[in-house]
Amino acid sequence: MPATDTAVRIADMDKYYGSFHALKNINLDIRKGEKIVVCGPSGSGKSTLIRCINKLEDYHAGSINVLGTELDDNLDHIDEIRRETGMVFQHFNLFPHMTILENCTLAPILVRKQKREEAEAVAMEYLHKVKIPEQADKFPGQLSGGQQQRVAIARALCMKPEIMLFDEPTSALDPEMISEVLDVMVSLAEDGMTMVCVTHEMGFARQVADRVIFMADGEIVEQGTPEQFFDNPQNERTRTFLSQVLGH
Amino acid sequence: MAKTYHRPTLLDHVRTRYFATRLDTAMSVLFGAITLWILWSLLNWAVLDAVFSAADKELCGHDAGACWSVIDARWRLILFGLYPFEEQWRSAIACAAIVLVTALSCVPWFWNARRLPVLWLTGFAVFYVLMAGGYFGLKEIPPQSWGGLSLTIFVFAAVAIIGMPLSIVFALLRRSELPWIARTMGLVIDTIRSLPLLSIMFTFAIVLPFVLPGWLIGDKLYRVIVGYALFFACYQAEIIRGGIQALPAGQEEAAKALGMSYWHRISYIVLPQAFRNALPPTINQFVITFKETSLVVIIGFFDVMASGNAAFGTAEWSFAHIEVYSFVALIFFVFVFALSRYGAYLERRLAVASR
């Protein structure tokens, strides 16, 4: 049983795609309130890692414990963990047939059994927080990418999750829209949310992260505070990666 | 010198599209004349030289115009078949009820997993009680006596009501994560789709009574409807499956990440979008189903097509088959055209919400 201030504990975890060893012996403890940035070259398994935390991907060995609940094949456990972890995707994945407000209230009404008025009040509160309350009655297709991603963050927050997972939230955005999404993420971090972010935004990592994790070939190669990580990287692969993303 | 832009007038359009070259002009004049001649002949036949009233039957044949007297005299047979004459008002109201329900289901207020089924089941119950009788002092009339347009609408509505939910179940089973369920469903769908509709109707009407226990046999008409609905469901299931597979994987993942259960994901996220994607082929399937109801004639039922045949089947009217067929064609056209216009309206409407 992990300590009560542990949000996620991943122990000796392995994952395969067929015969391809996608994640190798991952060990990772995340404290409540901790902000973690996961980075690494494409194909290093960083997205797969955070998708394992809410079981969008299966894992094949080891264990994952989220907020004291063991993530196994028990559907109740999976539901429990998904209720408490919000996720933001690279491609937003808003429901295109529903308005912004409906996107935000659907899960609270169905899963949390909230009353519609209550759910709508909460949704408007979070839409204010991400600075687009005036778009509530539009459809996702009528919004810009940056706006859609901010709605996606609000939608996840409406479930009042303990942990937020971000899977490359700015990678599909036009450059001028990246900062509006990062601003929302920074303010979320300031509120004390537990966050795990897969991202290439090194400025964001330096500003917000408590710990930066570098992955390559399905392994955690190096981890440390942003200062250690950026100013004094230990591993050769980390140095190569950093020179590539920071070099220009 | 600055160029100014002239908005092309109608005359400009006509000139550039139909009279640009000498060949264009010749073709336009030729085909224009042919079209006008056809339209004029049709108008002459159908209206100007036509005889309309049954009382004027003797005038038919003099002017080579249409003899609509046959419709005037026999329309009840075409619309109601062998349904008892003095009870035909019931058949008429029953048809109107289904048409009303169809019209109501075009109103977006009813587009909801609860309201739409309730609406259709109510409409269908009204139709059935009126047609079959036996309740509220209505004389009981067995399905063998149903016919004409009412029978066509009954078969169509029943097939849609049974077949639609069935097709959703089939589509979901075929996408099951358990391979043996998915494969079995796939085999059933492919088998039924590989059989001709005619043979399925025959099997359900004629062969099934030999193998089913007595209490399960039911009326021949219901057996045929069940067989037809099964056939419909197999085609429609594949249409819905196509709609589901067109969805990006991210949609279900987002719903999962929000903690939504399988049924919530299916009914709020997957199916609404799948139906949108599948709308054009679904309307197509409904149109085909409506027209193929005529096949029930082979197991001895008088749908609108068969009662049309009966309408000119007597010596008195035997010359008027063109008029009767035109009338039946008009009935089919009205229904099918309304159906496809409604489909086009839906597509335009849904396009707003999903760019």
Side-chain angles (χ1 to χ4, degrees), chain A residues 82-184:
Chain A
R82 284 179 179 164
R83 277 197 294 274
E84 302 302 334
T85 44
M87 187 162 207
V88 176
F89 299 86
Q90 182 177 3
H91 296 287
F92 333 133
N93 298 355
L94 295 179
F95 306 130
H97 58 303
M98 296 180 177
T99 64
I100 299 309
L101 191 63
E102 287 165 345
N103 263 278
C104 293
T105 56
L106 183 68
I109 291 173
L110 293 178
V111 182
R112 293 266 192 229
K113 311 289 178 210
Q114 285 180 9
K115 290 204 173 57
R116 178 169 296 280
E117 302 77 45
E118 187 192 345
E120 284 179 355
V122 172
M124 287 313 294
E125 186 187 313
Y126 282 114
L127 288 175
H128 268 287
K129 187 173 167 58
V130 301
K131 303 191 185 70
I132 33 176
E134 70 281 2
Q135 312 283 6
D137 294 321
K138 289 195 180 164
F139 286 94
Q142 296 168 294
L143 270 55
S144 74
Q147 290 173 323
Q148 290 194 48
Q149 193 60 299
R150 284 185 281 151
V151 171
I153 294 173
R155 176 176 71 175
L157 291 176
C158 284
M159 286 292 287
K160 308 255 183 194
E162 299 270 334
I163 302 169
M164 283 288 282
L165 307 173
F166 291 86
D167 187 3
E168 305 205 25
T170 56
S171 302
L173 294 176
D174 290 335
E176 76 272 19
M177 292 172 182
I178 290 176
S179 66
E180 65 189 59
V181 171
L182 289 181
D183 287 348
V184 169

Side-chain angles (χ1 to χ4, degrees), chain B residues 74-82 144 146-152 291-314 324-325 328-329 331-332:
Chain B
R74 312 284 275 179
W75 64 274
R76 280 187 166 229
L77 177 67
I78 298 176
L79 292 187
F80 306 121
L82 303 175
Q144 286 80 11
W146 301 5
L149 185 60
S150 336
L151 183 74
T152 297
K291 293 199 287 188
E292 290 194 342
T293 48
S294 296
L295 289 179
V296 296
V297 70
I298 64 127
I299 41 106
F301 282 103
F302 280 86
D303 80 310
V304 64
M305 189 69 208
S307 32
N309 281 333
F312 65 82
T314 56
V324 170
Y325 281 142
V328 172
I331 293 177
F332 273 101

Side-chain angles (χ1 to χ4, degrees), chain A residues 51 54 56 82-83 85 87 89 93-98 106-107 110-111 113 139 141-142 155-156 159, chain B residues 249-261 264-265 268-270 272-273 276 352-355:
Chain A
R51 286 164 58 87
N54 63 355
L56 288 186
R82 284 179 179 164
R83 277 197 294 274
T85 44
M87 187 162 207
F89 299 86
N93 298 355
L94 295 179
F95 306 130
H97 58 303
M98 296 180 177
L106 183 68
L110 293 178
V111 182
K113 311 289 178 210
F139 286 94
Q142 296 168 294
R155 176 176 71 175
M159 286 292 287
Chain B
Q251 288 292 310
E252 258 210 283
E253 283 180 359
K256 277 184 186 170
L258 286 165
M260 291 169 66
S261 67
H264 283 155
R265 297 200 298 269
Y268 288 89
I269 306 301
V270 175
Q273 296 189 68
R276 237 162 252 241
V352 178
S354 60
R355 273 193 297 163

